[in-house]
Amino acid sequence: MKNISIKYTYIFSFFLLLGLTGCDDMLDVNLPSNELSSTTIYASDPTTEAAVNGIYNSMVTGTYYGSLHYIFGETSDELILKTQLATVYTTNEIPVNDGTTGTMWTEFYKTIYNANSVIEGINGSTTLSADKSVRWIAEAKFLRAYCYFYLTNIYGDVPLVLTSNVDQSALAPRTTQTEVYNQIVLDLTDAANNLPADYTKYTSSQRIRATKWAADALLARVNLYLGKWSEASTFATTVIDQTALYKMIQGLTSTNSPFIADNTEAIWQIPYFNTTYSYEGAALFTTAGTYMLRKGNTMFETGDARKTNWTISVTASDGTTFLAPRKYKNAYVAAPVERSTVIRLAELYLIRAEARLKSNDITGAQQDINVIRNRALLPSTTLTDPTQLADLIAVERQRELFAESGHRWFDLKRSGTIDQVLGATAGKTWTAADALFPIPETAIRSNPFLTQNSGY
């Protein structure tokens, strides 16, 4: 056990090194070159600030601005390669040793580990500013909750690790999704109570760190997933009402979009350090059309501004013309300056529309969905039939959130329609067990108490 502890002491230092480099735009601080002990890091405000920045910097990886967009687009009925070649994701035959989904698991737990380290380090320090310490812990809890939201929705029951002590966490068994969600709500509630209500605490008011409203927005999403309609509506409203900070973008163009850095619709974005382009625009959803929208030619109504501004027409290998996602425009040039947009205002209107409908507030649901439709230059809906209005909200979620952060995949799962929809989607070998990804083989091998999902 002593050797294991020594091994993970080096891993702890390595994770901190990963998190504390490349943050020049957020904080210019030099850590001591001779040690990276917890005592040293959490002895002063500047080094603690750097450690918190390091949690965010651990999210500047292909998982957060790549895999979350395209993997779930392929596993759902949303995306297919331009070549039309099948992948393990489009056929829903993901092997337990798949490297990409394995990396996702690792990256989420790496961010969680860094968040746990920050929480423990600050709680164990007696030399830090009290008000800053409260905010830093709230940020770490917000980021931990965000990661667990994805982990439990991707893999189901997952180990709930709330410590950086590997002697406690290395052999952690899976925790029920109910318990994971309880911790997510607990973390987000604490974060919402202790995070700042604007962005002025951060460098140049950039929208790249958590605020109270980011926590409330994620609470709205979480409560929607849990079927708690009143709570989802309430949290969405608290964010929507912050009109001094947040406004829906009108007149969509390449330089007037919700994916531009620090735009009025952005609630939380992940930055690209020392660059002005976005990975999504430069390498993922390119002008060549790497991925096509399966329903591109039928998904949008005539005149929809999202089709005009967020897609491009491409020709597939068989000569067929398809639409490809192109929400991000920047491809290794200076403008427009974009960031990975994780939470934005439009989602809050969609959340509230659905929650209001589930609470039999037809008028309120209409009003919210019309905010989305009118921004897209579509006429207001007059639907009053609950079933028809629910179908419209689901379609508007597809139109608004396509190729973003796995929304379509998770919508199919939480609505209970995934078997019906994907069972009828061409090229898939769908079984109900495919709704959960396999626990990575490497994680199973290293932890005898970690069981595999059914069907793998």
Side-chain angles (χ1 to χ4, degrees), residues 29 84 99 212 244 430:
V29 60
Q84 300 188 69
K212 168 181 172 52
W430 181 258

Side-chain angles (χ1 to χ4, degrees), residues 275-278 281-282 326 329-338:
T275 66
T276 57
Y277 63 85
S278 63
R326 185 65 178 161
K329 313 296 185 185
N330 194 314
Y332 302 117
V333 294
V337 178
E338 298 173 335

Side-chain angles (χ1 to χ4, degrees), residues 143-414:
L143 296 172
R144 182 170 70 184
Y146 174 79
C147 291
Y148 273 122
F149 171 83
Y150 272 96
L151 280 167
T152 195
N153 277 287
I154 296 168
Y155 302 100
D157 298 344
V158 295
L160 183 60
V161 179
L162 303 176
T163 176
S164 64
N165 185 330
V166 297
D167 289 340
Q168 298 179 29
S169 62
L171 302 179
R174 298 173 69 170
T175 305
T176 67
Q177 189 172 60
T178 297
E179 292 177 90
V180 175
Y181 261 122
N182 288 342
Q183 185 63 47
I184 290 170
V185 172
L186 188 66
D187 277 350
L188 289 176
T189 301
D190 187 66
N193 290 335
N194 292 292
L195 285 168
D198 58 40
Y199 300 91
T200 58
K201 292 281 187 182
Y202 309 127
T203 306
S204 304
S205 295
Q206 298 177 79
R207 301 185 177 207
I208 58 176
R209 287 175 65 169
T211 62
K212 168 181 172 52
W213 313 120
D216 279 347
L218 196 50
L219 276 167
R221 184 193 295 178
V222 166
N223 278 285
L224 185 77
Y225 278 48
L226 293 175
K228 297 183 177 181
W229 316 124
S230 177
E231 291 89 340
S233 180
T234 297
F235 282 116
T237 298
T238 63
V239 180
I240 291 169
D241 285 350
Q242 305 309 309
T243 54
L245 281 175
Y246 307 118
K247 293 181 178 66
M248 289 289 287
I249 288 174
Q250 305 298 326
L252 297 175
T253 67
S254 61
T255 55
N256 187 41
S257 86
F259 312 103
I260 299 295
D262 306 317
N263 71 83
T264 61
E265 194 175 324
I267 298 171
W268 179 42
Q269 299 177 313
I270 297 178
Y272 301 84
F273 297 106
N274 304 316
T275 66
T276 57
Y277 63 85
S278 63
Y279 177 85
E280 290 92 337
L284 187 57
F285 302 122
T286 67
T287 54
T290 309
Y291 295 93
M292 300 182 299
L293 292 169
R294 282 181 181 263
K295 301 179 180 179
N297 292 324
T298 59
M299 190 167 76
F300 298 99
E301 293 179 33
T302 301
D304 195 320
R306 293 166 297 194
K307 177 181 178 181
T308 305
N309 290 278
W310 293 353
T311 71
I312 56 174
S313 181
V314 298
T315 302
S317 55
D318 63 356
T320 307
T321 300
F322 282 87
L323 291 182
R326 185 65 178 161
K327 289 179 171 178
Y328 291 83
K329 313 296 185 185
N330 194 314
Y332 302 117
V333 294
V337 178
E338 298 173 335
R339 293 201 189 105
S340 279
T341 300
V342 185
I343 305 175
R344 58 187 180 92
L345 187 60
E347 184 193 350
L348 276 297
Y349 278 103
L350 290 163
I351 287 172
R352 193 171 69 176
E354 186 175 341
R356 282 176 164 177
L357 178 62
K358 295 288 189 179
S359 302
N360 298 314
D361 181 2
I362 301 297
T363 300
Q366 286 177 326
Q367 291 171 345
D368 283 337
I369 206 63
N370 285 336
V371 169
I372 301 299
R373 288 179 60 80
N374 295 163
R375 192 270 288 277
L377 305 182
L378 297 177
S380 296
T381 184
T382 58
L383 294 175
T384 57
D385 178 80
T387 300
Q388 293 179 332
L389 194 52
D391 290 343
L392 177 62
I393 291 171
V395 169
E396 288 298 341
R397 285 186 66 91
Q398 283 184 272
R399 293 167 175 167
E400 184 69 28
L401 301 172
F402 68 87
E404 284 187 59
S405 301
H407 282 291
R408 176 61 177 169
W409 173 252
F410 299 133
D411 283 350
L412 289 173
K413 290 179 61 174
R414 68 182 179 84

Side-chain angles (χ1 to χ4, degrees), residues 18-96:
L18 287 175
L20 295 172
T21 56
C23 294
D24 294 343
D25 290 346
M26 297 175 72
L27 179 67
D28 185 11
V29 60
N30 293 319
L31 291 174
S33 59
N34 60 333
E35 64 178 336
L36 277 174
S37 70
S38 178
T39 302
T40 300
I41 292 170
Y42 300 104
S44 70
D45 285 2
T47 51
T48 301
E49 179 82 18
V52 176
N53 289 341
I55 312 175
Y56 291 94
N57 204 34
S58 71
M59 305 176 80
V60 186
T61 69
T63 289
Y64 294 98
Y65 54 66
S67 301
L68 291 187
H69 300 321
Y70 77 87
I71 293 295
F72 301 110
E74 290 187 75
T75 55
S76 68
D77 60 341
E78 189 173 64
L79 298 178
I80 191 169
L81 285 171
K82 174 184 173 181
T83 61
Q84 300 188 69
L85 294 175
T87 70
V88 294
Y89 315 118
T90 59
T91 61
N92 302 96
E93 296 178 304
I94 303 173
V96 296

